[in-house]
Amino acid sequence: MAKKSSPKSPATPSSGQSPVLFDKIVACCKSETIHFVVGIILILFAAFLLVACCSFFVTGAADQSVLEIGDLGRTDNGARNYAGSRGAQIANYLINDCFGVASFFIIVFIVVLSLKLMKVGNSRRLSVGKWFVGCSVLLVWFSVFFGFVFEQLSPTSFLFWGGRHGYNAARWLTSQIGMPGVVLLLLAVALCMLIYHSARAVDRLRTLFSFGFLRRSQRHAPLSPASEEAPDAEAGDTPEEFTTSWSADGTPAIEPAPAAPAAETPKKSAGEPTFEVEIPDESAAPYAADPEEEPLPAEPHFEVSSREAEEEYRGKEREPYNPRLDLSNYHFPPIELMKHYEQTKPAIDMDEQNANKDKIISTLRSFGIEISTIKATVGPTVTLYEITPEQGVRISKIRGLEDDIALSLAALGIRIIAPIPGKGTIGIEVPNSNPRIVSGQSIIGSKRFQESTYDLPIALGKTITDEVFMVDLCKMPHILVAGATGQGKSVGLNAIITSLLYKKHPAELKFVLVDPKKVEFSIYSVIEHHYLAKLPDGGDPIITDVKKVVQTLNSVCVEMDTRYDLLKAAHVRNIKEYNAKFIERRLNPEKGHRFMPYIVVVIDEFGDLIMTAGKEIELPIARIAQLARAVGIHMIIATQRPTTNIITGTIKANFPARVAFRVSAMIDSRTILDRPGANQLIGRGDMLFLQGADPVRVQCAFIDTPEVADITKYISQQPGYPTAFYLPEYVDESGGTDMSEVDMDRLDPLFEEAARLIVVHQQGSTSLIQRKFAIGYNRAGRLMDQLEKAGIVGATQGSKPRDVLITDESSLDAIMNNFR
């Protein structure tokens, strides 16, 4: 048997060679090195075409005889074109046989394509598609134009200005629509191309076609009120909620929960007088002027000219700024990377529902409490029983029977909501005997999440009514996550981070991940060049050292202050308005303006940091929590020790949104939520979310570590930024360098260049030197120390940049002469 199977064994690897070869070809095509080489070849070919076509105008007449003979392979063919016989052949084909003089647009497009492939300078902003459309339209238009204008010169000249394409097209159009029609057609196409190229062309054309009396009439004409139409309300995309209700005789019936009516009409009892309030419809009865009332005289035209508006910056580029342009080929992770669970919609266990209903009714009756109705809403892990007590029953009496109901149901995690907000019922939450897993795929892949318009959408899980629970981190604006060990806290953080990875581009979002345990966030280190922010010292992207944590948080504070200065200079109030203004190119990048990505600081094991660093950690966190919302910096801190010395009053006051997983004691629940409830959860992702008055019970989405690994691997395999997002440097005031230790006899080779850089920019920043010369943080710091001792920059000022003591290059040259 072994001898018979041996000939088939080589077929196995050969059958799998084609997919592997295809993957290698795809990877080779995506290589930036291949793109650069192809770009060089294309630009050299464009230069060859340019020489051939330009030489054709001078030597084309003499080369016609050579081209007619056709023996171009000989060395003595007699071609006078500077690009040789093949250059003369190509130029004659493009100019005479194709599009005429307009063929130069082909060379222009080849140059644009090569620059795009080579990524030279600002070529990343070039849109190849728009250049292709523009060059194609101009190629055809000028070919027809020259063919139409210079049609009579072709018999006496070797040069066909419009090419054969232009002459044939012009003759056919002239025969169909006549010469006036051809002129009007060319003019219409030219105007359309002009409008396509420039958005201001419409205004200029309107000004050109307007007349004086029209301008005067438009200036004094009254403005007509704009008609407003109310948009149709779209139906909410909420999942169907299955409810089990029992009537007074105890007969169960399963039916979908009725949707809330748009408006309720109060029932009128017999003999009750009718009471109606008539609301006048202002839109139905428009204001009518009194015919006897004399019209008021027209007010004189009044205009206020703002100097600031006149001097508002307008960028040279006509297109809006695209922050995603640097990573324009970035693809979001597909939903298939997440695990799919089969039991997405299990059938309702009627035996369990009836048994729980009977036990609740019997327990309440044993204490003298009668109820009129009871309804059950089945969720992923918990069923909510809504009961309506009879008249005269105290709510406090039912609330005190929580332990008795739990004893009769033999269930863990009974929670009584008395009353349910917005309803006249009392809720009893009972865990299901067979809970189902809420997968991350069902949450991330839901229509509500995919169509969400939140700035920073976070999908946490599903509620008791089986609806996807989502929040906007920008409106929260910070989250406090707490819970005992093993209750789903780390899985909840993964769900938060994964939600943002699936919705935000790397240019729009950066993470600062702090992990004292060193193992929770290490899986995200591979996306350093896409989503992570860190200090410019070349350390690990995941901050694990306590000293680095303090320095990083203070650096985030420096970034916050810098952003507030930019917002002040741009006369806006928040990051959304600032970025919108920058995208419209109304802010000058030469004055320090830049596109601001959102920054989300995630801190795990916050209790350990407080124990080791204390106030050094709490002060920057409190400052960020108080001020950083408007500049797009948000914070998520998690701890498994929800005690008052960890979650202090300062922390609670600035973290209005809180997520509580199961805790062991009621005092811990009161520390997190200011009320009991977290101690009655069942664990394994069961949590309470509080933002406002009443908490919401949510089953957290389960996103396992292998799923996160696949997502981060997919992101890391795509082209990213050269480095991580560098936070500004922070120098502790007590940690300055002793100038006596700086050796000026061994100056850095970049000392003079760095000095000129600092003087020209008038900015004493170590990160500036690091970025401009592409050196490490330690070498840039030594250069700054040497510049300080040379008297070029001042001493450190904490988080502020150093003062530049030299104002011009002539003074700098005098100092440099002392070190040469």
Side-chain angles (χ1 to χ4, degrees), residues 333-341 437-445 491 494-495 497-498 501-502 523-524 526-527 700-715:
I335 197 66
E336 291 77 13
L337 295 176
M338 308 186 77
K339 188 176 180 181
H340 175 69
Y341 296 91
I437 298 176
V438 178
S439 64
Q441 188 186 57
S442 64
I443 302 299
I444 302 298
V491 176
N494 285 335
I497 298 175
T498 303
L501 291 179
Y502 267 92
I523 197 170
Y524 296 102
V526 295
I527 59 174
C700 183
F702 179 69
I703 302 178
D704 204 3
T705 303
E707 300 177 58
V708 179
D710 293 339
I711 294 171
T712 55
K713 182 180 178 182
Y714 180 87
I715 296 175

mmCIF file of all heavy atoms in Angstrom, residues 333-341 437-445 491 494-495 497-498 501-502 523-524 526-527 700-715:
data_model
loop_
_atom_site.group_PDB
_atom_site.id
_atom_site.type_symbol
_atom_site.label_atom_id
_atom_site.label_comp_id
_atom_site.label_asym_id
_atom_site.label_seq_id
_atom_site.Cartn_x
_atom_site.Cartn_y
_atom_site.Cartn_z
ATOM 1 N N PRO A 333 -10.763 45.896 8.927
ATOM 2 C CA PRO A 333 -10.812 44.427 9.079
ATOM 3 C C PRO A 333 -12.178 43.879 8.681
ATOM 4 O O PRO A 333 -13.211 44.477 8.999
ATOM 5 C CB PRO A 333 -10.533 44.225 10.582
ATOM 6 C CG PRO A 333 -9.881 45.482 11.037
ATOM 7 C CD PRO A 333 -10.446 46.580 10.192
ATOM 8 N N PRO A 334 -12.221 42.762 7.989
ATOM 9 C CA PRO A 334 -13.515 42.165 7.640
ATOM 10 C C PRO A 334 -14.165 41.528 8.860
ATOM 11 O O PRO A 334 -13.498 41.108 9.810
ATOM 12 C CB PRO A 334 -13.151 41.123 6.580
ATOM 13 C CG PRO A 334 -11.721 40.779 6.863
ATOM 14 C CD PRO A 334 -11.080 42.018 7.411
ATOM 15 N N ILE A 335 -15.476 41.437 8.819
ATOM 16 C CA ILE A 335 -16.228 40.883 9.943
ATOM 17 C C ILE A 335 -15.992 39.388 10.078
ATOM 18 O O ILE A 335 -16.219 38.804 11.153
ATOM 19 C CB ILE A 335 -17.729 41.201 9.751
ATOM 20 C CG1 ILE A 335 -18.493 41.018 11.061
ATOM 21 C CG2 ILE A 335 -18.317 40.346 8.649
ATOM 22 C CD1 ILE A 335 -18.104 41.987 12.134
ATOM 23 N N GLU A 336 -15.497 38.752 9.006
ATOM 24 C CA GLU A 336 -15.277 37.301 9.058
ATOM 25 C C GLU A 336 -14.129 36.911 9.978
ATOM 26 O O GLU A 336 -13.968 35.725 10.283
ATOM 27 C CB GLU A 336 -14.991 36.765 7.644
ATOM 28 C CG GLU A 336 -16.181 36.795 6.705
ATOM 29 C CD GLU A 336 -16.464 38.177 6.164
ATOM 30 O OE1 GLU A 336 -15.579 39.062 6.328
ATOM 31 O OE2 GLU A 336 -17.557 38.393 5.599
ATOM 32 N N LEU A 337 -13.317 37.874 10.418
ATOM 33 C CA LEU A 337 -12.225 37.547 11.335
ATOM 34 C C LEU A 337 -12.730 37.199 12.727
ATOM 35 O O LEU A 337 -11.989 36.609 13.519
ATOM 36 C CB LEU A 337 -11.256 38.735 11.436
ATOM 37 C CG LEU A 337 -10.488 39.102 10.157
ATOM 38 C CD1 LEU A 337 -9.648 40.344 10.386
ATOM 39 C CD2 LEU A 337 -9.613 37.943 9.703
ATOM 40 N N MET A 338 -13.973 37.531 13.032
ATOM 41 C CA MET A 338 -14.531 37.269 14.351
ATOM 42 C C MET A 338 -15.312 35.957 14.322
ATOM 43 O O MET A 338 -15.873 35.564 13.298
ATOM 44 C CB MET A 338 -15.430 38.428 14.789
ATOM 45 C CG MET A 338 -14.754 39.782 14.689
ATOM 46 S SD MET A 338 -15.724 41.134 15.357
ATOM 47 C CE MET A 338 -15.460 40.874 17.084
ATOM 48 N N LYS A 339 -15.358 35.304 15.459
ATOM 49 C CA LYS A 339 -15.962 33.979 15.554
ATOM 50 C C LYS A 339 -17.469 34.074 15.530
ATOM 51 O O LYS A 339 -18.056 34.977 16.116
ATOM 52 C CB LYS A 339 -15.490 33.289 16.843
ATOM 53 C CG LYS A 339 -15.907 31.823 16.938
ATOM 54 C CD LYS A 339 -15.325 31.172 18.177
ATOM 55 C CE LYS A 339 -15.722 29.709 18.280
ATOM 56 N NZ LYS A 339 -15.179 29.075 19.499
ATOM 57 N N HIS A 340 -18.077 33.126 14.825
ATOM 58 C CA HIS A 340 -19.540 33.077 14.723
ATOM 59 C C HIS A 340 -20.065 31.932 15.580
ATOM 60 O O HIS A 340 -19.561 30.810 15.514
ATOM 61 C CB HIS A 340 -19.956 32.873 13.265
ATOM 62 C CG HIS A 340 -21.431 32.680 13.079
ATOM 63 N ND1 HIS A 340 -22.339 33.687 13.293
ATOM 64 C CD2 HIS A 340 -22.150 31.584 12.722
ATOM 65 C CE1 HIS A 340 -23.556 33.239 13.067
ATOM 66 N NE2 HIS A 340 -23.466 31.971 12.719
ATOM 67 N N TYR A 341 -21.075 32.231 16.379
ATOM 68 C CA TYR A 341 -21.709 31.232 17.233
ATOM 69 C C TYR A 341 -23.080 30.896 16.656
ATOM 70 O O TYR A 341 -23.827 31.780 16.231
ATOM 71 C CB TYR A 341 -21.846 31.741 18.666
ATOM 72 C CG TYR A 341 -20.514 31.988 19.336
ATOM 73 C CD1 TYR A 341 -19.898 33.228 19.267
ATOM 74 C CD2 TYR A 341 -19.859 30.976 20.016
ATOM 75 C CE1 TYR A 341 -18.668 33.452 19.862
ATOM 76 C CE2 TYR A 341 -18.623 31.188 20.620
ATOM 77 C CZ TYR A 341 -18.037 32.425 20.539
ATOM 78 O OH TYR A 341 -16.819 32.647 21.136
ATOM 79 N N ILE A 437 -24.230 33.012 24.345
ATOM 80 C CA ILE A 437 -23.087 33.910 24.192
ATOM 81 C C ILE A 437 -23.456 35.018 23.212
ATOM 82 O O ILE A 437 -24.000 34.758 22.137
ATOM 83 C CB ILE A 437 -21.859 33.134 23.691
ATOM 84 C CG1 ILE A 437 -21.450 32.070 24.712
ATOM 85 C CG2 ILE A 437 -20.694 34.077 23.409
ATOM 86 C CD1 ILE A 437 -20.305 31.194 24.243
ATOM 87 N N VAL A 438 -23.154 36.243 23.598
ATOM 88 C CA VAL A 438 -23.301 37.387 22.694
ATOM 89 C C VAL A 438 -21.960 37.562 21.983
ATOM 90 O O VAL A 438 -20.989 38.056 22.567
ATOM 91 C CB VAL A 438 -23.697 38.664 23.461
ATOM 92 C CG1 VAL A 438 -23.785 39.842 22.510
ATOM 93 C CG2 VAL A 438 -25.028 38.462 24.179
ATOM 94 N N SER A 439 -21.899 37.164 20.737
ATOM 95 C CA SER A 439 -20.628 37.188 20.000
ATOM 96 C C SER A 439 -20.303 38.607 19.540
ATOM 97 O O SER A 439 -21.197 39.437 19.327
ATOM 98 C CB SER A 439 -20.691 36.245 18.797
ATOM 99 O OG SER A 439 -21.662 36.686 17.875
ATOM 100 N N GLY A 440 -19.022 38.840 19.385
ATOM 101 C CA GLY A 440 -18.606 40.132 18.860
ATOM 102 C C GLY A 440 -19.034 40.338 17.427
ATOM 103 O O GLY A 440 -19.294 41.461 16.995
ATOM 104 N N GLN A 441 -19.152 39.240 16.667
ATOM 105 C CA GLN A 441 -19.565 39.355 15.273
ATOM 106 C C GLN A 441 -21.008 39.845 15.161
ATOM 107 O O GLN A 441 -21.340 40.644 14.288
ATOM 108 C CB GLN A 441 -19.423 38.007 14.571
ATOM 109 C CG GLN A 441 -19.651 38.070 13.071
ATOM 110 C CD GLN A 441 -19.645 36.698 12.444
ATOM 111 O OE1 GLN A 441 -20.426 35.827 12.833
ATOM 112 N NE2 GLN A 441 -18.768 36.489 11.475
ATOM 113 N N SER A 442 -21.889 39.381 16.071
ATOM 114 C CA SER A 442 -23.281 39.814 16.023
ATOM 115 C C SER A 442 -23.429 41.284 16.396
ATOM 116 O O SER A 442 -24.386 41.939 15.987
ATOM 117 C CB SER A 442 -24.128 38.949 16.966
ATOM 118 O OG SER A 442 -23.713 39.127 18.315
ATOM 119 N N ILE A 443 -22.481 41.826 17.159
ATOM 120 C CA ILE A 443 -22.547 43.240 17.558
ATOM 121 C C ILE A 443 -21.899 44.121 16.500
ATOM 122 O O ILE A 443 -22.488 45.085 16.009
ATOM 123 C CB ILE A 443 -21.862 43.441 18.922
ATOM 124 C CG1 ILE A 443 -22.526 42.561 19.977
ATOM 125 C CG2 ILE A 443 -21.911 44.898 19.335
ATOM 126 C CD1 ILE A 443 -23.982 42.859 20.214
ATOM 127 N N ILE A 444 -20.653 43.797 16.117
ATOM 128 C CA ILE A 444 -19.937 44.613 15.131
ATOM 129 C C ILE A 444 -20.619 44.534 13.763
ATOM 130 O O ILE A 444 -20.657 45.514 13.010
ATOM 131 C CB ILE A 444 -18.468 44.170 15.036
ATOM 132 C CG1 ILE A 444 -17.790 44.267 16.411
ATOM 133 C CG2 ILE A 444 -17.712 45.011 14.023
ATOM 134 C CD1 ILE A 444 -17.729 45.654 16.973
ATOM 135 N N GLY A 445 -21.173 43.375 13.429
ATOM 136 C CA GLY A 445 -21.817 43.204 12.137
ATOM 137 C C GLY A 445 -23.265 43.651 12.086
ATOM 138 O O GLY A 445 -23.915 43.507 11.045
ATOM 139 N N VAL A 491 -12.273 41.465 28.745
ATOM 140 C CA VAL A 491 -13.064 41.249 27.530
ATOM 141 C C VAL A 491 -13.831 42.518 27.167
ATOM 142 O O VAL A 491 -13.966 42.866 25.988
ATOM 143 C CB VAL A 491 -14.021 40.057 27.726
ATOM 144 C CG1 VAL A 491 -14.921 39.886 26.509
ATOM 145 C CG2 VAL A 491 -13.234 38.783 27.968
ATOM 146 N N ASN A 494 -11.458 44.825 25.445
ATOM 147 C CA ASN A 494 -11.248 44.375 24.069
ATOM 148 C C ASN A 494 -12.423 44.763 23.178
ATOM 149 O O ASN A 494 -12.227 45.141 22.012
ATOM 150 C CB ASN A 494 -11.051 42.854 24.034
ATOM 151 C CG ASN A 494 -9.685 42.428 24.527
ATOM 152 O OD1 ASN A 494 -8.731 43.196 24.479
ATOM 153 N ND2 ASN A 494 -9.582 41.205 25.022
ATOM 154 N N ALA A 495 -13.644 44.671 23.714
ATOM 155 C CA ALA A 495 -14.821 45.056 22.922
ATOM 156 C C ALA A 495 -14.800 46.541 22.603
ATOM 157 O O ALA A 495 -15.148 46.963 21.487
ATOM 158 C CB ALA A 495 -16.099 44.695 23.685
ATOM 159 N N ILE A 497 -12.048 48.562 22.383
ATOM 160 C CA ILE A 497 -10.974 48.854 21.427
ATOM 161 C C ILE A 497 -11.316 48.312 20.044
ATOM 162 O O ILE A 497 -11.099 48.979 19.021
ATOM 163 C CB ILE A 497 -9.643 48.282 21.939
ATOM 164 C CG1 ILE A 497 -9.257 48.943 23.268
ATOM 165 C CG2 ILE A 497 -8.535 48.462 20.918
ATOM 166 C CD1 ILE A 497 -8.015 48.359 23.913
ATOM 167 N N THR A 498 -11.892 47.108 19.996
ATOM 168 C CA THR A 498 -12.235 46.509 18.705
ATOM 169 C C THR A 498 -13.303 47.323 17.989
ATOM 170 O O THR A 498 -13.270 47.479 16.759
ATOM 171 C CB THR A 498 -12.709 45.061 18.908
ATOM 172 O OG1 THR A 498 -11.690 44.322 19.592
ATOM 173 C CG2 THR A 498 -12.991 44.398 17.577
ATOM 174 N N LEU A 501 -11.560 50.111 16.317
ATOM 175 C CA LEU A 501 -10.724 49.676 15.200
ATOM 176 C C LEU A 501 -11.554 49.393 13.959
ATOM 177 O O LEU A 501 -11.084 49.579 12.832
ATOM 178 C CB LEU A 501 -9.931 48.423 15.589
ATOM 179 C CG LEU A 501 -8.825 48.584 16.647
ATOM 180 C CD1 LEU A 501 -8.174 47.246 16.925
ATOM 181 C CD2 LEU A 501 -7.778 49.590 16.191
ATOM 182 N N TYR A 502 -12.786 48.929 14.147
ATOM 183 C CA TYR A 502 -13.642 48.605 13.018
ATOM 184 C C TYR A 502 -14.314 49.849 12.425
ATOM 185 O O TYR A 502 -14.927 49.747 11.363
ATOM 186 C CB TYR A 502 -14.725 47.610 13.433
ATOM 187 C CG TYR A 502 -14.345 46.168 13.194
ATOM 188 C CD1 TYR A 502 -13.724 45.422 14.184
ATOM 189 C CD2 TYR A 502 -14.604 45.553 11.982
ATOM 190 C CE1 TYR A 502 -13.373 44.104 13.976
ATOM 191 C CE2 TYR A 502 -14.252 44.237 11.761
ATOM 192 C CZ TYR A 502 -13.642 43.508 12.758
ATOM 193 O OH TYR A 502 -13.284 42.203 12.537
ATOM 194 N N ILE A 523 -0.928 42.282 22.812
ATOM 195 C CA ILE A 523 -1.406 41.794 21.522
ATOM 196 C C ILE A 523 -1.625 42.941 20.535
ATOM 197 O O ILE A 523 -1.662 42.741 19.326
ATOM 198 C CB ILE A 523 -2.701 40.977 21.733
ATOM 199 C CG1 ILE A 523 -3.006 40.123 20.518
ATOM 200 C CG2 ILE A 523 -3.867 41.894 22.055
ATOM 201 C CD1 ILE A 523 -4.120 39.134 20.755
ATOM 202 N N TYR A 524 -1.757 44.178 21.052
ATOM 203 C CA TYR A 524 -1.974 45.341 20.188
ATOM 204 C C TYR A 524 -0.666 46.014 19.754
ATOM 205 O O TYR A 524 -0.705 47.011 19.035
ATOM 206 C CB TYR A 524 -2.837 46.381 20.911
ATOM 207 C CG TYR A 524 -4.230 45.907 21.225
ATOM 208 C CD1 TYR A 524 -4.569 45.493 22.499
ATOM 209 C CD2 TYR A 524 -5.212 45.875 20.249
ATOM 210 C CE1 TYR A 524 -5.854 45.059 22.800
ATOM 211 C CE2 TYR A 524 -6.499 45.450 20.525
ATOM 212 C CZ TYR A 524 -6.812 45.034 21.811
ATOM 213 O OH TYR A 524 -8.080 44.602 22.098
ATOM 214 N N VAL A 526 1.469 45.136 17.623
ATOM 215 C CA VAL A 526 1.797 44.992 16.203
ATOM 216 C C VAL A 526 1.169 46.105 15.358
ATOM 217 O O VAL A 526 1.571 46.305 14.206
ATOM 218 C CB VAL A 526 1.326 43.612 15.685
ATOM 219 C CG1 VAL A 526 2.095 42.502 16.363
ATOM 220 C CG2 VAL A 526 -0.170 43.432 15.887
ATOM 221 N N ILE A 527 0.207 46.842 15.895
ATOM 222 C CA ILE A 527 -0.405 47.939 15.134
ATOM 223 C C ILE A 527 0.183 49.279 15.568
ATOM 224 O O ILE A 527 -0.490 50.309 15.531
ATOM 225 C CB ILE A 527 -1.941 47.933 15.283
ATOM 226 C CG1 ILE A 527 -2.342 48.074 16.754
ATOM 227 C CG2 ILE A 527 -2.537 46.674 14.695
ATOM 228 C CD1 ILE A 527 -3.848 48.218 16.952
ATOM 229 N N CYS A 700 -22.179 41.825 27.971
ATOM 230 C CA CYS A 700 -21.043 42.298 27.181
ATOM 231 C C CYS A 700 -20.723 41.325 26.050
ATOM 232 O O CYS A 700 -20.843 40.101 26.206
ATOM 233 C CB CYS A 700 -19.817 42.463 28.081
ATOM 234 S SG CYS A 700 -18.372 43.130 27.245
ATOM 235 N N ALA A 701 -20.333 41.874 24.918
ATOM 236 C CA ALA A 701 -19.947 41.049 23.770
ATOM 237 C C ALA A 701 -18.662 40.288 24.090
ATOM 238 O O ALA A 701 -17.729 40.842 24.678
ATOM 239 C CB ALA A 701 -19.763 41.915 22.534
ATOM 240 N N PHE A 702 -18.625 39.029 23.686
ATOM 241 C CA PHE A 702 -17.462 38.185 23.952
ATOM 242 C C PHE A 702 -16.546 38.194 22.734
ATOM 243 O O PHE A 702 -16.892 37.684 21.669
ATOM 244 C CB PHE A 702 -17.911 36.752 24.266
ATOM 245 C CG PHE A 702 -16.761 35.815 24.538
ATOM 246 C CD1 PHE A 702 -16.001 35.957 25.692
ATOM 247 C CD2 PHE A 702 -16.439 34.813 23.649
ATOM 248 C CE1 PHE A 702 -14.944 35.098 25.946
ATOM 249 C CE2 PHE A 702 -15.386 33.955 23.897
ATOM 250 C CZ PHE A 702 -14.635 34.096 25.051
ATOM 251 N N ILE A 703 -15.387 38.821 22.890
ATOM 252 C CA ILE A 703 -14.355 38.861 21.844
ATOM 253 C C ILE A 703 -13.104 38.236 22.427
ATOM 254 O O ILE A 703 -12.444 38.814 23.295
ATOM 255 C CB ILE A 703 -14.094 40.299 21.365
ATOM 256 C CG1 ILE A 703 -15.385 40.938 20.833
ATOM 257 C CG2 ILE A 703 -13.018 40.319 20.285
ATOM 258 C CD1 ILE A 703 -15.223 42.368 20.394
ATOM 259 N N ASP A 704 -12.794 37.039 21.976
ATOM 260 C CA ASP A 704 -11.703 36.268 22.565
ATOM 261 C C ASP A 704 -10.352 36.762 22.049
ATOM 262 O O ASP A 704 -10.255 37.482 21.047
ATOM 263 C CB ASP A 704 -11.892 34.790 22.240
ATOM 264 C CG ASP A 704 -11.186 33.888 23.238
ATOM 265 O OD1 ASP A 704 -10.607 34.424 24.204
ATOM 266 O OD2 ASP A 704 -11.217 32.660 23.068
ATOM 267 N N THR A 705 -9.297 36.337 22.739
ATOM 268 C CA THR A 705 -7.941 36.758 22.375
ATOM 269 C C THR A 705 -7.542 36.330 20.967
ATOM 270 O O THR A 705 -6.934 37.135 20.236
ATOM 271 C CB THR A 705 -6.936 36.218 23.403
ATOM 272 O OG1 THR A 705 -7.306 36.665 24.711
ATOM 273 C CG2 THR A 705 -5.533 36.700 23.097
ATOM 274 N N PRO A 706 -7.846 35.096 20.501
ATOM 275 C CA PRO A 706 -7.504 34.761 19.101
ATOM 276 C C PRO A 706 -8.188 35.663 18.082
ATOM 277 O O PRO A 706 -7.604 35.969 17.033
ATOM 278 C CB PRO A 706 -7.977 33.302 18.972
ATOM 279 C CG PRO A 706 -7.936 32.761 20.354
ATOM 280 C CD PRO A 706 -8.318 33.904 21.236
ATOM 281 N N GLU A 707 -9.408 36.121 18.369
ATOM 282 C CA GLU A 707 -10.079 37.032 17.446
ATOM 283 C C GLU A 707 -9.350 38.373 17.388
ATOM 284 O O GLU A 707 -9.150 38.942 16.307
ATOM 285 C CB GLU A 707 -11.527 37.246 17.886
ATOM 286 C CG GLU A 707 -12.354 35.973 17.919
ATOM 287 C CD GLU A 707 -13.761 36.226 18.434
ATOM 288 O OE1 GLU A 707 -14.474 37.043 17.835
ATOM 289 O OE2 GLU A 707 -14.147 35.621 19.448
ATOM 290 N N VAL A 708 -8.935 38.883 18.549
ATOM 291 C CA VAL A 708 -8.187 40.142 18.575
ATOM 292 C C VAL A 708 -6.854 39.981 17.853
ATOM 293 O O VAL A 708 -6.408 40.890 17.129
ATOM 294 C CB VAL A 708 -7.985 40.613 20.027
ATOM 295 C CG1 VAL A 708 -7.193 41.914 20.058
ATOM 296 C CG2 VAL A 708 -9.318 40.800 20.728
ATOM 297 N N ALA A 709 -6.218 38.824 18.019
ATOM 298 C CA ALA A 709 -4.936 38.581 17.339
ATOM 299 C C ALA A 709 -5.107 38.585 15.821
ATOM 300 O O ALA A 709 -4.273 39.137 15.095
ATOM 301 C CB ALA A 709 -4.348 37.247 17.807
ATOM 302 N N ASP A 710 -6.191 37.984 15.324
ATOM 303 C CA ASP A 710 -6.426 37.984 13.877
ATOM 304 C C ASP A 710 -6.698 39.388 13.359
ATOM 305 O O ASP A 710 -6.246 39.768 12.264
ATOM 306 C CB ASP A 710 -7.606 37.062 13.551
ATOM 307 C CG ASP A 710 -7.297 35.597 13.828
ATOM 308 O OD1 ASP A 710 -6.099 35.256 13.870
ATOM 309 O OD2 ASP A 710 -8.247 34.810 14.006
ATOM 310 N N ILE A 711 -7.427 40.184 14.137
ATOM 311 C CA ILE A 711 -7.749 41.551 13.707
ATOM 312 C C ILE A 711 -6.486 42.399 13.649
ATOM 313 O O ILE A 711 -6.233 43.117 12.667
ATOM 314 C CB ILE A 711 -8.797 42.165 14.652
ATOM 315 C CG1 ILE A 711 -10.123 41.420 14.524
ATOM 316 C CG2 ILE A 711 -8.994 43.651 14.353
ATOM 317 C CD1 ILE A 711 -11.144 41.821 15.572
ATOM 318 N N THR A 712 -5.675 42.348 14.711
ATOM 319 C CA THR A 712 -4.446 43.149 14.723
ATOM 320 C C THR A 712 -3.442 42.662 13.675
ATOM 321 O O THR A 712 -2.713 43.475 13.088
ATOM 322 C CB THR A 712 -3.807 43.090 16.116
ATOM 323 O OG1 THR A 712 -3.605 41.711 16.499
ATOM 324 C CG2 THR A 712 -4.709 43.764 17.139
ATOM 325 N N LYS A 713 -3.418 41.372 13.414
ATOM 326 C CA LYS A 713 -2.522 40.853 12.368
ATOM 327 C C LYS A 713 -2.952 41.355 11.002
ATOM 328 O O LYS A 713 -2.111 41.715 10.162
ATOM 329 C CB LYS A 713 -2.521 39.323 12.397
ATOM 330 C CG LYS A 713 -1.588 38.690 11.371
ATOM 331 C CD LYS A 713 -1.633 37.170 11.454
ATOM 332 C CE LYS A 713 -0.736 36.537 10.399
ATOM 333 N NZ LYS A 713 -0.807 35.052 10.450
ATOM 334 N N TYR A 714 -4.253 41.395 10.759
ATOM 335 C CA TYR A 714 -4.756 41.896 9.471
ATOM 336 C C TYR A 714 -4.378 43.369 9.282
ATOM 337 O O TYR A 714 -3.994 43.781 8.187
ATOM 338 C CB TYR A 714 -6.275 41.716 9.423
ATOM 339 C CG TYR A 714 -6.903 42.203 8.141
ATOM 340 C CD1 TYR A 714 -6.990 41.375 7.035
ATOM 341 C CD2 TYR A 714 -7.429 43.495 8.041
ATOM 342 C CE1 TYR A 714 -7.564 41.807 5.840
ATOM 343 C CE2 TYR A 714 -8.003 43.944 6.861
ATOM 344 C CZ TYR A 714 -8.065 43.095 5.761
ATOM 345 O OH TYR A 714 -8.630 43.543 4.599
ATOM 346 N N ILE A 715 -4.478 44.149 10.358
ATOM 347 C CA ILE A 715 -4.129 45.572 10.258
ATOM 348 C C ILE A 715 -2.627 45.750 10.066
ATOM 349 O O ILE A 715 -2.177 46.577 9.263
ATOM 350 C CB ILE A 715 -4.618 46.312 11.510
ATOM 351 C CG1 ILE A 715 -6.147 46.264 11.588
ATOM 352 C CG2 ILE A 715 -4.143 47.764 11.514
ATOM 353 C CD1 ILE A 715 -6.706 46.863 12.859
#
